[in-house]
Amino acid sequence: MVRCCVLYHSLDTFLAAAALDTMRRYVTWIDIALVANDAFVPLLFELILAPDSIEQLRAAAVGCVLAILQKRMVPRQKVALLRSLPVSRVFADPNLVIKVPYLVTGYAAEVLECCKKLGFTDIDSSTPVELLEEALPSVFYVMQESEEVELGNVVEFLSDYVITMRTPLQKQAVYLGHILEFIRVQICYDPAHRNNLDILDRIGREEEDQMGERRKDLLVLFCSICRLAPDVTQLFIQNLLIRALSSSEASVEEVEATFTLFYRLGETVNEEAMRTGSGLLRELVQMLLSSQFPCLSHRMVALIYLETVMRFMKFVQDNPQYIPYVLAAFLDQRGIHHPNLNVSRRAGYLFMRAVKLMKSKFVPYLDMILRGLQDTITQFTTSDWCSKNLECSVSEDGSQIFEAIGLLIGMEDVSPEKQSDYVAAFLRPLCQKLNEVLLDSKAQGLEESSAKVLTLQQIIMALNALSKGFNARLATSICPAIGIMFKQALSEVLEILIAFPNIKILRNKITSFIHRMVDILGGSIFPCLPVVLKQLLMESEPKDMVDFLVLVNQLISKFSTSVEGILEEIFPAIATRLIVILSKDAFPSGPGCNTEEVRELQELQRILYTFLHLMANHNLSSVFLAPNCRGYLDALMQLLLLAACSHKDVLLRKLCVQIFMKLIKDWCTNCNVDDKVPGFRSFIIEKFATDCCLYSVLDKSFEFHDANTLLLFGEIVLAQKVMYEKLGSDFIIHFVSKGLQAARCPHELTEQYYQKLQQANDIKALKSFYQLLVENLRQQQNGSLVFR
């Protein structure tokens, strides 16, 4: 092989390269001494080092040397091998380094691996630290100048190198600076796509996605350096900021990369350092907030700038002297007044987050903030919305500005008179615009996809967002004028629901607004409820019924028995629809049955049982017995029993058992003749007691090792206790004779069960015993019992 290479490397390049490639393939499994010797190594490096060496031969020789370097062996032997190779001659020639980047990075990676195994302390001549120190300058040179080497390999090597450091020495700090600069260069966008990224067209989106993937490992490496050497990183960021401010030729890509790294630096700063501005952080944040950086008109730069400002808000929280700078950044052309809609909307969202974090400290600047937002609010109410205005994400629809305003106005530090004036100033134009569009829509009609629908939607969302700053105490007691204004706004919004009940998108937004009004208007909302509930009940699709029941559940939770009369009016309509929709055949099983339609039915079923549970536990069980509601009782009890016995959702089964317990307490007395509901006692004894409390737990699918199942079991045991207290001997006689004895329960276990049941307060003992009884019956029956 050696002779072939010597004879033919100048005569037949292809043959010599083929010989070297063949040798490379054998290196991994033959004795290393057969190739790492005085015959092969000088020849290989002659082919690599010779200025006139043909590239094909040089590449083949590099492949052989790499195979030798990567040969698996004991670390100390590997170090001896690395020392024996004249790689330093390669490092001495920068022009040659660029031609063999894989040799440089491969050698450095093997040296680093030996350092990790042997340690970095110079304890003997086998420590490879000096080899690594010799290789690193060439590695950094390759990183900066070569386009051949794969980015992933370089980042992996650098990550390993950074991980091995403890406290960086001065020379290592210099190396870290090289790595930081390498990261900065690699995360810069291609200037060719600058306009695409600004308008974010298809090409821009593709470029963003590709860069996001490219940056992942690079930014992880950057964060590792931030944690290892915060002083080095902060100095690096400071120099980048100074360069961006001082250079008239700073590019969009460079400024965007600078802010991206600054943002990531903020991710690594601990809470104490953030609060105090340790190191250079104070200077960096001051530069960020007080300086007018170039290129902020570009969408990409503006977005990362605002994100970076938000990242360091906790510093501002403890250093309130910077609040004016923060407000300026959000409210001027860098933020909410930015000409790009995406930037403006994102700024509004981030401003709302900043207000939530620092609203008490923003109150002194309230007048300034409202003045700064006045034209934005005016534009919001005068714009004719179209679909392109709503292309931002759901969380950035423009309403966040109103939420921020509401949160600030709703602070107790603001006087009630000012609060009332501020609310009127923002509600009035919104309601005026709403009425204008509504009148026009009534006259000309309204289609779901029209711009008018989008305009109404935006106004309702703005009203909803504004209301989030107020609670019932403020709106009804401290400043009743606010409650009156919101009640008027609700009346006007309900006009939309009355006029156009079938436009889903508006219906959903109006329902959300009603939820807010229930919270802040309290009992004063009652006059509006009949209209609200009547209109919302006009639709009977499962999803619509879910939204409706969620609202009714909120009313029950908030007002309890005060909504009894309203519930008596709407319960027949609810029951009629749900009994049909949630029939036994509504939930098919088997492959292909997990459809969107089935999932909506399952959600409706869950909400229904939550609704019945709330009614039972808020002393509203009398609604079931009202003359116009009583006819639905039997069907509902059958649905509840089926769910309590066999529903797949164990927690929903627990809910149904709790409903039965509450109804037993409400409707049954110790004396049979005084029961409120004829037939309910026998239904509980003959059906619920045996089917749910015995047969369902005997089924092997009832898994005692599951935590949720144990919770259900506890409720089932508690239900037996309630039945014994309310139904007395009627319950125990039937349960023993038709239940336990039918399951062939031994007489002594039956006696013990009766004794445990009679013990007044020891529910824990009853539960433990009943579990043992069930497990005993399971073993005894050995699966022969046929469960009902």
Side-chain angles (χ1 to χ4, degrees), residues 481-497:
I482 291 176
I484 293 170
M485 285 186 279
F486 272 112
K487 188 175 178 181
Q488 179 60 35
L490 174 61
S491 299
E492 294 173 7
V493 168
L494 291 181
E495 287 296 318
I496 302 173
L497 186 62

Side-chain angles (χ1 to χ4, degrees), residues 430-446 452-453 455-456 459 492-497 499-500 506:
L430 288 172
C431 291
Q432 285 175 351
K433 181 68 173 179
L434 185 146
N435 286 323
E436 288 173 13
V437 178
L438 181 58
L439 288 172
D440 187 49
S441 300
K442 285 180 177 179
Q444 300 183 22
L446 194 62
K452 294 174 188 176
V453 167
T455 301
L456 290 172
I459 294 171
E492 294 173 7
V493 168
L494 291 181
E495 287 296 318
I496 302 173
L497 186 62
F500 306 104
L506 292 180

